[in-house]
């Protein structure tokens, strides 16, 4: 089977699982990742529910396995721009953005980052813009590949042609290469597995919740970065240098919500909120935590128990979604109708965390266009429950959140299923 | 000997309750310690690079990694050590996370414990020897226990991939629970049709051997060459298989253990499964009043079912919809705790049925009282905080999933483990959701916990891919932890031979000593503990290794 | 030798890699707490535990030793734990003569019984702490 070659699009946990399974079945794999490192959303997380083990500990070894596996070719900063059917396979044009750093030379020593004049001036996407980075950087310390890159937009030399180029001076192995250009690769693949993943709902439009306008209103993912050791505060839960004591979580923000056009349940927010409550209780002993919910969907293995433990540890659940969040002298005030008691309650808090729902990744639409994949009404790739990875195009399979919200365990299983279907297709 | 110690912070997990600097300081001064390094995540690429470069730079003879427990990342670290030019069996993992930083809160005490644990690693690994993994042939065949939707999906994949499949089902026909469903959500097909389509497909594959009305009666061997005996009316059949997928499904919860629900006493109380089977024979008509109770046999600690069964909310909604579709003027009320309509399309389904007139009331139902006119439900509306009594003509219990009946028996035969709810226990809840601790044995579908049909299919086929990945080369490597005999010390007393359960020890009449058949040795070490003259030893667990581990743990810090 | 006579007992446990050690791993990952004095040595099967190890541990200063294996009938090596049961019973009998039988315990913990593992070791620890006073 050595001449068979499969393209995996997306380097999150779904794509990683799929690539490793394919390789173990003897198939050659090319993995495309749009960003500078694989790891996807999962690597942004601090811990995972319901076991509370750290995300890095479970995922980074898999990332390294991808990098080391001789059957897997990893292309970062790369996306397909054209997919054409050719016999039973596909001719794919891949656009590879320049890294401006020679991967074969970079030793990831980090001197360039310290030297960069833009140090601490560019918003860091990996930290949900909560921290600032230089123009030459590595997205997070455990990134795979372990290579620095220059962000063309942020780099003064690339964007304006003017910089003293301190990075070049400090780089011992001479890895920085401003002459790199965008490359277009043309390849043939026998089959494709797409796993572009998801984005989170941007709650700015929900003015009443104050996201983007009030200090102390965060999204779940932002809070996740605040908890993380690799995050902006080194894992200390701190806002503007102070440790908050009072937390208020609001669930179903942008899920089960006709207003925002998302009627579906995002499947992970109930549990990640419970997880956040656990993390807070662990690090801030006297924290006061409220969680507003509609239904608590603790459906997976060990989830119900996790939810119960969260309640038993002193987190208050309030049934009802707040009408508004307002600024007060000492912080924030949440107004909510508690549906169980029928009362309107006003709760003072330091932080409001919005458990934002899931949306298809922004690149999914483009991907569907170039591959002629059908989408459902929300923009997820359309599949059928008895054949959960089959798309409308034969030979192209989907896994992970791209076909609808899933937790990590379900994502892993769906990646395995996509590989099964792909292997069947290849054997036909 | 040059020893390298690598201490992982594991983000906060170790660092927050163990004094890493203290550890480093302690070990730096000791004899033979060539380097002591620490890093936030040893398992990440920079962490691995640090270990590798240190091995090369210091010419390390032993590598001690103090991090998470050995069950995690062992293969990865072994490969890393091998790539750096050191025999991977000279690696020692010390668990300072699961056995230290997570089990105690006092930094000082934890640090002192970590010192002893790491020291035990240093002392005992001094006696390690370079070992080689053995290559064994594996059979390209698989045993699948359970012919439900998960097992059938797995069988179809494996057979098409060229693996010989033995599919064992205890019932007369394949299909499990799905076969009996009248309306499978969300595909809206009859379960029987889905199953028959799959059965036809399996029958076209000539390397699938289907055994219905059969069961597994004995099991042995090791990965690549498991021996299974299947029994049915035709007698016993012995098969040799490379791996096993356990997909024995679930048992529907039996609500008669909750007498307050009147199930089995009053005919007007039925389960969702019964509703599926005899939907059209039920005594309901226009104007009938039907109650649907959620979470029967789920989220109920008192009866030992604390978990959510994941499918019953959708089943309840589906039941309500079916009644409403047939009798527009019926009164259907669903009593729930939380509506968990999380699957794809589930939330929309929930909303749409509400629009059709299905009522949802958040309530705790305490009992059902049978009366002449109807069944009186007594409970508390948890939104209004008010007790209520309402009369219905029919009550449908949305029952949950209980562990499979044969769980204990299969777990015993295969030596796999059950979790606290008596479902099968997976190797890792997220990244290895269908693996067991044993190589080549997988658990798929609902036998490891409640799942819906899509998830069961995913599980079945994903575990099949994993098994195929293990079997497709035709060979595999197994750990070299077997017993060996020192012929100079062996007195030929044959005590080990009697003790050996695997019958791996043979007596050599000519030399009057015993020898070990490595292929048969299971590596338990019983012989080692039995031998009066320390002549037989288990590789990797020799007396000296354990002796020094004991000394290291008891010695003062 | 261990650090003289202090209040916190030192306990050494032998745990089989298939059941009890797995349970201890799970206990850790569930963040269950138990005394730091309890330290484990992993063995492939409880039957690997030579009575000499137990005597050695006690002679070198451990305040207690336990052997933990799979439940009877669940042994991964078919009947290793039956041998363990007989061996420990004989050893305990011998220890009784010296009134040190409380220093040795044998118990069965399956891989999923993290709670049971913690309860068993904590109970033994407290018991020994009591007698040490």
């Amino acid at each position: 089977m050595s001449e068979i070659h499969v393209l995996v699009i997306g380097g999150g946990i779904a794509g990683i699982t799929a690539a490793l399974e394919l390789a173990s079945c003897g198939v050659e794999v090319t993995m495309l990742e749009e960003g500078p490192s694989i790891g996807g959303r999962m690597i942004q997380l601090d811990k995972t529910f319901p076991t509370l083990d750290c995300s890095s500990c479970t995922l980074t070894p898999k990332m390294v396995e991808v990098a080391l596996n001789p059957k897997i070719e990893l292309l970062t900063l790369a996306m397909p721009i054209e997919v054409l059917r050719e016999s039973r396979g596909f001719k794919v044009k891949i656009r590879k953005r320049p890294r401006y750093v020679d991967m074969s030379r970079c030793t990831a020593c980090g001197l360039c980052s310290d030297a960069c004049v833009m140090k601490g001036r560019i918003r860091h996407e990996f930290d949900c813009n909560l921290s600032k980075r230089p123009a030459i950087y590595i997205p997070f310390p455990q990134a795979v590949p372990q290579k620095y890159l220059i962000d063309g937009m942020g780099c003064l030399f690339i964007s304006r042609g003017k910089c003293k180029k301190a990075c070049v001076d400090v780089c011992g192995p001479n890895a920085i290469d401003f002459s790199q250009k965008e490359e277009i690769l043309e390849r043939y693949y026998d089959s494709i597995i797409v796993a572009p993943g998801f984005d989170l709902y941007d709650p700015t439009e929900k003015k009443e919740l104050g996201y983007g306008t009030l200090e102390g209103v965060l999204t779940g993912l932002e809070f996740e970065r605040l908890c993380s050791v690799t995050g902006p505060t080194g894992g200390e839960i701190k806002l503007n240098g102070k440790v908050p004591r009072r937390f208020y979580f609001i669930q179903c923000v942008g899920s089960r919500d006709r207003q925002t056009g998302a009627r579906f349940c995002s499947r992970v927010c109930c549990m990640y909120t419970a997880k956040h409550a656990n993390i807070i209780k662990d690090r801030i002993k006297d924290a006061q935590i409220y969680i507003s919910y509609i239904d608590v969907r603790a459906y997976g293995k060990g989830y119900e128990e996790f939810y119960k433990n969260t309640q038993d540890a002193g987190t208050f659940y309030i049934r009802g979604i707040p009408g508004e969040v307002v600024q007060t002298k000492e912080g924030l005030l949440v107004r909510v109708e508690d549906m169980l008691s029928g009362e309107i309650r006003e709760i003072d808090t330091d932080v409001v965390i919005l458990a934002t729902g899931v949306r298809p990744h922004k690149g999914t639409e483009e991907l569907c266009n170039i591959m002629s994949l059908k989408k459902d009404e929300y923009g997820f790739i359309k599949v059928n429950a008895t054949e959960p990875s089959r798309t409308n195009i034969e030979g192209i399979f989907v896994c992970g959140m791209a076909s609808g919200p899933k937790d990590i365990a379900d994502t892993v299983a769906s990646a395995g299923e996509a590989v099964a279907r792909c292997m069947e297709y290849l054997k036909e | 000997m040059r020893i390298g110690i690598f201490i992982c912070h594991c983000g906060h997990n170790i660092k927050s309750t163990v004094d890493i600097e203290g550890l480093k300081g302690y070990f730096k001064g000791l004899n033979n310690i060539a380097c002591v390094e620490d890093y936030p995540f040893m398992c990440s690429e920079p962490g691995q690079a640090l270990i590798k470069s240190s091995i090369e730079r210091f010419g390390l003879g032993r590598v001690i990694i103090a991090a998470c427990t050995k069950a995690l990342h062992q293969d990865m670290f072994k490969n890393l050590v091998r790539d750096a030019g050191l025999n991977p069996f000279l690696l020692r993992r010390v668990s300072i996370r699961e056995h230290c930083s997570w089990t105690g809160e006092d930094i000082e005490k934890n640090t002192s414990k970590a010192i002893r644990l790491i020291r035990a690693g240093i002392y005992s690994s001094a006696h390690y020897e370079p070992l080689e993994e053995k290559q064994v042939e594996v059979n390209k065949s698989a045993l699948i226990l359970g012919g439900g939707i998960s097992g059938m999906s797995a069988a179809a994949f494996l057979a098409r991939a060229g693996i010989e499949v033995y599919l064992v089902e205890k019932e007369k026909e394949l299909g499990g629970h799905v076969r009996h469903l009248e309306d499978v959500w969300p595909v809206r097909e009859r379960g029987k049709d889905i199953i028959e389509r799959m059965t036809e497909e399996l029958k076209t594959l000539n390397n699938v051997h289907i055994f219905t009305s059969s069961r597994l009666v004995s099991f042995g061997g090791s990965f690549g060459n498991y021996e299974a005996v299947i029994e049915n009316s035709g007698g016993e059949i012995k098969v040799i298989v490379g791996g096993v997928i356990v997909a024995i499904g679930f048992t529907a919860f039996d609500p008669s253990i909750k007498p307050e629900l009147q199930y089995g006493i009053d005919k007007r109380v039925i389960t969702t499964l019964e509703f599926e089977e005899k939907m059209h024979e039920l005594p309901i008509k226009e104007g009938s009043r039907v109650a649907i109770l959620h979470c029967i046999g789920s989220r109920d600690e008192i009866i030992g079912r604390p978990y959510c069964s994941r499918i019953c909310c959708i089943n309840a909604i589906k039941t309500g919809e079916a009644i409403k579709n047939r009798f527009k003027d019926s009164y259907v009320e669903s009593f729930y705790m939380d509506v968990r309509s999380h699957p794809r399309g589930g939330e929309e389904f929930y909303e749409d049925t509400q629009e059709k007139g299905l009522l949802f009331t958040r309530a705790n139902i305490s009992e059902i009282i049978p009366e002449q006119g109807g069944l009186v439900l007594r409970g508390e509306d948890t939104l209004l905080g008010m007790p209520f009594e309402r009369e219905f003509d029919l009550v449908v219990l949305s029952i949950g999933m209980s562990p499979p009946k044969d769980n204990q028996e299969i777990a015993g035969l295969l030596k796999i483990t059950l979790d606290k709810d008596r479902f099968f226990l997976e190797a890792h809840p997220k990244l290895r959701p269908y693996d067991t601790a044993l190589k080549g044995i997988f658990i798929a579908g609902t036998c490891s916990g409640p799942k819906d049909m899509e998830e069961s299919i995913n599980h079945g086929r994903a575990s099949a891919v994993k098994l195929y990945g293990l079997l497709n080369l035709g060979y595999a490597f197994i750990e070299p932890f077997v017993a060996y005999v020192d012929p100079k010390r062996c007195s030929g007393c044959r005590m080990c031979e009697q003790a050996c359960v695997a019958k791996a020890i043979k007596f050599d009449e000519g030399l009057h000593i015993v020898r070990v058949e490595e292929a048969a040795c299971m590596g338990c070490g019983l012989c080692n503990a039995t031998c009066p003259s320390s002549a037989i030893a288990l590789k990797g667990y020799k007396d000296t290794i354990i002796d020094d581990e004991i000394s290291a743990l008891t010695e003062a810090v | 030798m261990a650090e003289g006579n202090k209040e916190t007992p030192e306990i050494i446990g032998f745990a089989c890699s298939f059941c009890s050690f797995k349970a201890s791993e799970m206990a850790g990952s569930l963040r269950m707490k138990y005394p730091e004095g309890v330290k484990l040595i992993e063995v492939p099967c409880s039957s690997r535990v030579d009575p000499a190890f137990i005597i050695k541990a006690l002679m070198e200063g451990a305040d207690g030793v336990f052997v933990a294996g799979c439940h009877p009938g669940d042994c991964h090596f078919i009947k290793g734990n039956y041998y363990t049961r007989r061996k420990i019973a004989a050893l305990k009998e011998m220890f009784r003569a010296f009134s040190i039988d409380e220093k040795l315990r044998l118990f069965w913990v399956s891989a999923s019984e993290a709670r049971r593992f913690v309860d068993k070791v904590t109970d033994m620890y407290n018991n020994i702490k009591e007698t040490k006073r």
Side-chain angles (χ1 to χ4, degrees):
Chain A
M1 297 252 307
S2 62
E3 65 279 21
I4 290 183
H5 211 138
V6 174
L7 180 68
V8 174
I9 301 172
I13 178 64
I16 290 174
T17 309
L20 291 172
E21 298 286 359
L22 282 167
S24 79
C25 294
V27 175
E28 299 281 329
V29 181
T30 298
M31 177 186 271
L32 297 189
E33 165 59 45
E34 180 183 34
S37 168
I38 56 171
R41 290 283 173 205
M42 187 176 164
I43 201 70
Q44 281 185 294
L45 310 181
D46 177 40
K47 295 195 168 160
T48 53
F49 58 81
T51 45
L52 285 179
D53 49 357
C54 64
S55 203
S56 292
C57 306
T58 40
L59 186 56
T60 45
K62 292 248 169 201
M63 290 157 62
V64 176
E65 245 182 272
V66 168
L68 297 180
N69 196 310
K71 287 201 169 297
I72 303 176
E73 174 196 31
L74 173 61
L75 300 177
T76 48
L77 301 170
M79 277 310 280
I81 49 170
E82 189 181 270
V83 177
L84 295 173
R85 181 169 286 281
E86 193 174 275
S87 67
R88 272 178 64 74
F90 302 90
K91 218 167 76 183
V92 183
K93 259 193 197 151
I94 297 164
R95 179 192 313 159
K96 216 171 157 301
R97 289 188 289 136
R99 191 175 262 269
Y100 302 113
V101 172
D102 184 339
M103 303 244 297
S104 62
R105 290 187 169 179
C106 176
T107 58
C109 67
L111 290 175
C112 52
S113 269
D114 288 334
C116 180
V117 293
M118 293 298 285
K119 189 179 177 193
R121 290 165 70 180
I122 303 171
R123 289 201 285 184
H124 194 7
E125 311 81 359
F126 184 78
D127 275 342
C128 297
N129 302 334
L130 294 173
S131 66
K132 300 276 174 70
R133 61 166 170 85
I136 184 163
Y137 70 108
I138 193 160
F140 53 100
Q142 291 76 34
V144 170
Q146 265 291 299
K147 304 290 168 189
Y148 276 62
L149 81 152
I150 298 177
D151 153 26
M153 302 274 277
C155 173
L156 291 179
F157 184 73
I158 295 167
S159 62
R160 296 188 211 161
K162 253 191 179 150
C163 182
K164 60 175 182 174
K165 294 193 278 188
C167 52
V168 178
D169 298 338
V170 296
C171 184
N174 272 331
I176 298 168
D177 177 5
F178 288 111
S179 70
Q180 280 187 7
K181 292 272 171 304
E182 185 177 290
E183 280 176 76
I184 305 285
L185 311 173
E186 264 200 60
R187 300 277 191 83
Y188 175 83
Y189 294 102
D190 297 282
S191 173
I192 302 176
I193 292 181
V194 287
F198 67 102
D199 284 335
L200 286 151
Y201 169 68
D202 176 4
T204 316
E205 62 173 319
K206 288 198 170 280
K207 298 260 186 292
E208 69 278 14
L209 299 180
Y211 179 73
T213 53
L214 299 182
E215 187 95 9
V217 181
L218 300 172
T219 67
L221 193 62
E222 286 169 351
F223 185 70
E224 196 80 46
R225 294 308 303 153
L226 267 191
C227 301
S228 173
V229 195
T230 60
T233 54
E236 281 184 73
I237 303 173
K238 266 187 183 170
L239 271 180
N240 300 326
K242 272 193 292 187
V243 178
R245 303 269 166 225
R246 299 168 300 175
F247 297 82
Y248 199 103
F249 289 88
I250 304 176
Q251 291 192 170
C252 290
V253 177
S255 315
R256 308 180 64 186
D257 183 0
R258 273 174 198 260
Q259 270 180 354
T260 58
R263 293 172 67 195
F264 59 87
C265 163
S266 291
R267 291 183 73 145
V268 290
C269 339
C270 286
M271 294 309 292
Y272 79 59
T273 300
K275 173 188 75 180
H276 287 159
N278 269 289
I279 295 175
I280 295 171
K281 281 276 174 203
D282 191 39
R283 303 202 188 147
I284 305 169
K285 298 283 176 231
D286 58 344
Q288 160 203 301
I289 308 170
Y290 285 96
I291 299 179
S292 261
Y293 71 103
I294 309 179
D295 293 288
V296 175
R297 294 197 166 156
Y299 56 84
K301 191 165 180 173
Y303 292 9
E304 182 69 27
E305 294 85 338
F306 188 73
Y307 162 46
K308 280 226 78 130
N309 291 342
T310 309
Q311 277 183 309
D312 293 347
T315 295
F316 302 104
Y317 275 79
I318 296 182
R319 194 174 196 269
I321 298 297
E324 61 175 346
V325 178
V326 293
Q327 187 93 47
T328 61
K329 263 194 223 129
E330 303 97 58
L332 298 165
L333 179 87
V334 180
R335 242 177 235 126
V336 58
E337 183 192 346
D338 185 335
M339 292 165 77
L340 296 189
S341 64
E343 289 166 40
I344 306 278
R345 297 179 67 176
E346 293 193 335
I347 294 166
D348 285 306
T349 182
D350 300 319
V351 187
V352 171
I353 297 153
L354 310 178
T356 46
V358 165
R359 293 290 181 273
H361 182 62
K362 63 179 181 321
T364 310
E365 178 152 18
E366 179 60 22
L367 214 55
C368 289
N369 287 344
I370 61 173
M371 294 184 184
S372 319
L373 297 178
K374 277 198 187 133
K375 289 171 292 183
D376 69 11
E377 53 185 309
Y378 310 113
F380 292 108
I381 296 171
K382 203 173 169 124
V383 291
N384 168 332
T386 46
E387 296 172 317
S389 65
R390 170 170 281 173
T391 65
N392 57 311
I393 305 288
E394 258 208 88
I396 301 183
F397 307 97
V398 56
C399 60
M401 284 257 205
S403 62
K406 283 175 195 68
D407 59 22
I408 295 171
D410 289 349
T411 295
V412 168
S414 85
E417 208 280 331
V419 171
R421 209 157 283 283
C422 177
M423 291 300 292
E424 282 172 345
Y425 176 76
L426 297 172
K427 293 239 166 174
E428 264 170 33
Chain B
M1 190 181 300
R2 303 179 71 75
I3 300 167
I5 302 173
F6 301 90
I7 303 164
C8 181
H9 303 177
C10 197
H12 281 294
N13 288 319
I14 294 172
K15 199 183 172 193
S16 64
T17 54
V18 173
D19 173 13
I20 306 265
E21 284 307 314
L23 283 186
K24 282 178 75 176
Y26 178 87
F27 288 107
K28 266 201 174 131
L30 297 188
N31 278 345
N32 295 332
I33 306 295
C35 70
V36 186
E37 303 283 357
D38 65 316
Y39 189 73
F41 296 105
M42 270 305 163
C43 55
S44 67
E45 197 167 335
Q48 295 194 34
L50 175 70
I51 297 173
K52 198 172 169 190
S53 65
S54 303
I55 296 174
E56 287 158 358
R57 202 165 110 217
F58 297 105
L60 298 180
R62 295 289 185 276
V63 172
I64 317 278
I65 298 177
C68 49
T69 187
K70 194 171 98 177
L72 300 163
H73 313 328
Q74 179 71 348
D75 287 348
M76 184 194 80
F77 281 128
K78 266 164 79 177
N79 289 337
L80 172 72
V81 170
R82 185 186 289 120
D83 287 347
L86 188 67
N87 184 289
F89 293 93
L90 300 178
L91 160 73
R92 166 69 189 232
R93 297 282 301 280
V94 178
S95 167
I96 57 166
R97 191 178 78 173
E98 279 81 353
H99 294 92
C100 183
S101 76
W102 277 349
T103 57
E105 277 160 338
D106 186 309
I107 295 187
E108 203 181 314
K109 288 179 179 165
N110 278 353
T111 309
S112 137
K113 182 175 182 183
I115 286 178
R116 290 185 186 209
L117 293 176
I118 296 174
R119 206 170 51 191
I122 299 172
Y123 284 21
S124 61
S125 66
H127 302 283
Y128 281 9
E129 298 154 300
L131 300 173
E132 289 304 325
E133 284 180 335
K134 276 191 309 174
Q135 185 176 330
V136 292
E137 301 254 315
V138 302
N139 257 283
K140 289 196 177 189
S141 56
L143 173 71
I144 297 177
L145 298 176
I149 190 111
S150 200
M152 290 172 84
S153 306
F157 171 78
L158 285 171
R160 279 206 218 100
I163 304 284
E164 207 72 17
V165 175
Y166 303 93
L167 179 60
V168 179
E169 166 60 48
K170 71 172 189 248
E171 302 294 334
K172 287 202 296 293
E173 41 185 16
L174 296 176
H177 284 96
V178 173
R179 178 180 280 276
H180 304 290
L181 303 180
E182 185 58 31
D183 172 20
V184 177
W185 188 89
V187 287
R188 312 283 12 197
E189 256 187 285
R190 278 173 71 201
K192 205 169 164 213
D193 296 341
I194 297 175
I195 293 303
E196 273 171 7
R197 211 163 50 227
M198 292 178 82
T199 313
E200 282 312 305
E201 191 192 329
L202 283 180
K203 283 186 179 153
T204 61
L205 298 160
N206 53 20
N207 52 349
V208 179
H209 311 277
I210 299 172
F211 298 88
T212 45
S213 306
S214 307
R215 58 192 200 99
L216 180 73
V217 287
S218 106
F219 189 80
S222 59
F223 169 65
N225 298 285
Y226 287 117
E227 292 173 28
V229 178
I230 304 163
E231 185 196 75
N232 58 21
S233 56
E236 286 189 348
I237 307 119
K238 186 175 163 185
V239 294
I240 308 279
V241 291
V244 185
I245 295 176
V246 182
I248 59 173
F250 68 96
T251 310
F253 175 72
D254 178 5
S256 54
I257 67 166
K258 288 174 80 75
E260 68 275 21
L261 297 176
Q262 307 296 334
Y263 177 76
I265 303 165
D266 194 302
K267 280 205 170 70
R268 294 168 295 182
V269 180
I270 61 168
T271 66
T272 34
L273 265 185
E274 288 160 347
F275 180 83
E276 286 279 341
E277 277 171 36
K278 48 185 187 192
M279 196 184 309
H280 298 287
E281 304 156 26
L282 292 172
I284 37 174
K285 52 184 187 296
E286 285 296 353
S288 285
R289 301 158 300 173
V290 183
I292 302 167
L293 307 193
H294 290 231
C295 293
I296 303 298
S298 311
R299 306 181 67 185
D300 192 343
E301 269 176 46
I302 296 161
I303 54 164
R305 304 278 192 285
Y307 52 88
C308 164
S309 287
R310 210 166 168 156
I311 48 139
C312 359
C313 278
I314 289 287
N315 284 346
I317 300 171
K318 199 177 76 180
T319 304
E321 189 211 26
I323 299 169
K324 268 289 179 195
N325 279 350
R326 269 183 74 203
F327 304 108
K328 218 168 141 286
D329 288 326
S330 55
Y331 177 85
V332 187
E333 191 170 6
S334 230
F335 297 94
Y336 70 97
M337 284 202 256
D338 291 286
V339 178
R340 293 185 173 167
S341 53
H342 55 85
R344 185 188 307 112
E347 187 63 29
E348 294 86 333
F349 185 44
Y350 168 41
E351 277 187 19
D352 295 344
T353 41
Q354 274 177 292
E355 275 160 25
K356 281 184 184 160
L358 189 60
L359 294 171
F360 285 84
T361 305
R362 194 175 190 273
N364 290 328
I365 301 297
S366 51
E367 60 179 327
I368 298 175
I369 306 149
E371 304 254 331
Q372 276 292 298
L375 296 156
V376 175
L377 250 66
R378 186 177 286 166
E380 187 202 350
D381 185 318
T382 49
L383 283 186
L384 302 173
M386 301 268 278
F388 68 83
E389 277 188 11
R390 273 209 265 293
E391 204 177 62
F392 291 92
D393 303 311
L394 180 76
V395 174
V396 184
L397 307 175
S398 189
I399 47 170
M401 292 186 175
S402 292
K405 278 207 180 74
D406 307 326
N407 52 357
Q408 197 81 49
E409 192 187 333
I410 298 291
L413 281 169
L414 269 56
K415 305 291 175 209
I416 56 177
T417 314
L418 299 177
D419 66 19
K420 63 171 185 35
D421 297 324
R422 320 300 290 161
F423 288 99
F424 290 109
L425 181 71
E426 63 283 300
H428 187 279
K430 273 175 287 293
L431 296 187
R432 297 174 70 197
Y434 30 79
D435 300 54
T436 64
L438 297 184
K439 195 169 178 183
I441 299 185
F442 295 89
I443 41 175
T446 51
C447 65
S448 64
K451 278 168 202 73
D452 66 21
M453 192 180 73
E454 175 177 336
E455 291 154 353
S456 299
I457 294 175
N458 272 345
H459 244 231
R461 293 168 57 85
S463 60
V465 167
K466 222 156 189 190
L467 180 56
Y468 174 73
L470 290 177
L471 300 179
N472 79 83
L473 288 175
Y475 61 86
F477 292 96
I478 57 163
E479 296 218 311
F481 299 131
V482 290
Y484 68 101
V485 180
D486 179 350
K488 289 200 289 293
R489 294 194 128 198
C490 178
S491 64
C493 71
R494 301 174 77 167
M495 272 169 69
C496 54
E497 186 189 354
Q498 285 172 30
C500 182
V501 180
K503 301 274 169 265
I505 298 174
K506 295 283 176 317
F507 185 65
D508 187 323
E509 298 281 354
L511 297 171
H512 203 71
I513 55 168
V514 294
R515 57 186 172 75
V516 177
E517 276 186 20
E518 290 197 355
C521 176
M522 300 189 294
C524 64
L526 175 55
C527 53
N528 198 162
T530 307
C531 180
S533 39
S534 300
I536 192 163
L538 177 65
K539 285 181 187 166
Y541 295 95
K542 291 190 300 192
D543 287 352
T544 44
I545 292 177
I546 297 177
D547 276 342
D548 278 12
E549 199 157 339
I550 296 168
S551 304
L553 290 179
T554 49
E555 220 174 69
V557 172
Chain C
M1 291 302 270
E3 294 150 70
N5 195 16
K6 49 176 192 171
E7 260 193 37
T8 50
E10 289 293 330
I11 293 178
I12 290 185
F14 295 93
C16 81
S17 60
F18 284 90
C19 291
S20 315
F21 197 78
K22 283 265 176 295
S24 73
E25 287 173 344
M26 188 185 266
S29 55
L30 293 173
R31 316 296 197 276
M32 292 175 174
K33 308 291 180 222
Y34 55 87
E36 307 73 27
V38 177
K39 297 180 183 72
L40 291 184
I41 293 176
E42 186 190 355
V43 285
C45 174
S46 59
S47 66
R48 172 67 190 92
V49 179
D50 193 322
F53 295 153
I54 298 168
I55 295 167
K56 178 183 163 80
L58 292 174
M59 282 179 68
E60 295 196 352
D63 299 297
V65 176
F66 67 83
V67 179
C70 312
H71 285 276
D74 284 355
C75 176
H76 180 75
F77 300 103
I78 301 152
K79 45 187 182 184
N81 53 1
Y82 294 134
Y83 282 86
T84 312
R85 184 159 65 184
R86 294 213 297 266
K87 257 186 282 199
I88 301 296
L91 191 63
K92 238 178 142 49
E93 193 56 44
M94 192 178 102
F95 279 8
R96 198 161 289 136
F98 301 96
S99 301
I100 53 167
D101 53 315
E102 275 304 307
K103 286 178 182 282
L104 171 62
R105 284 196 189 182
L106 168 69
F107 43 77
W108 315 123
V109 183
S110 83
S112 60
E113 292 175 328
R115 172 49 58 194
R116 180 179 160 92
F117 173 81
V118 171
D119 290 348
K120 287 279 180 193
V121 298
T122 312
D123 180 61
M124 177 171 186
Y125 181 90
N126 290 340
N127 193 289
I128 286 183
K129 194 170 174 179
E130 201 59 33
T131 52
K132 244 191 120 163
R133 273 225 191 111

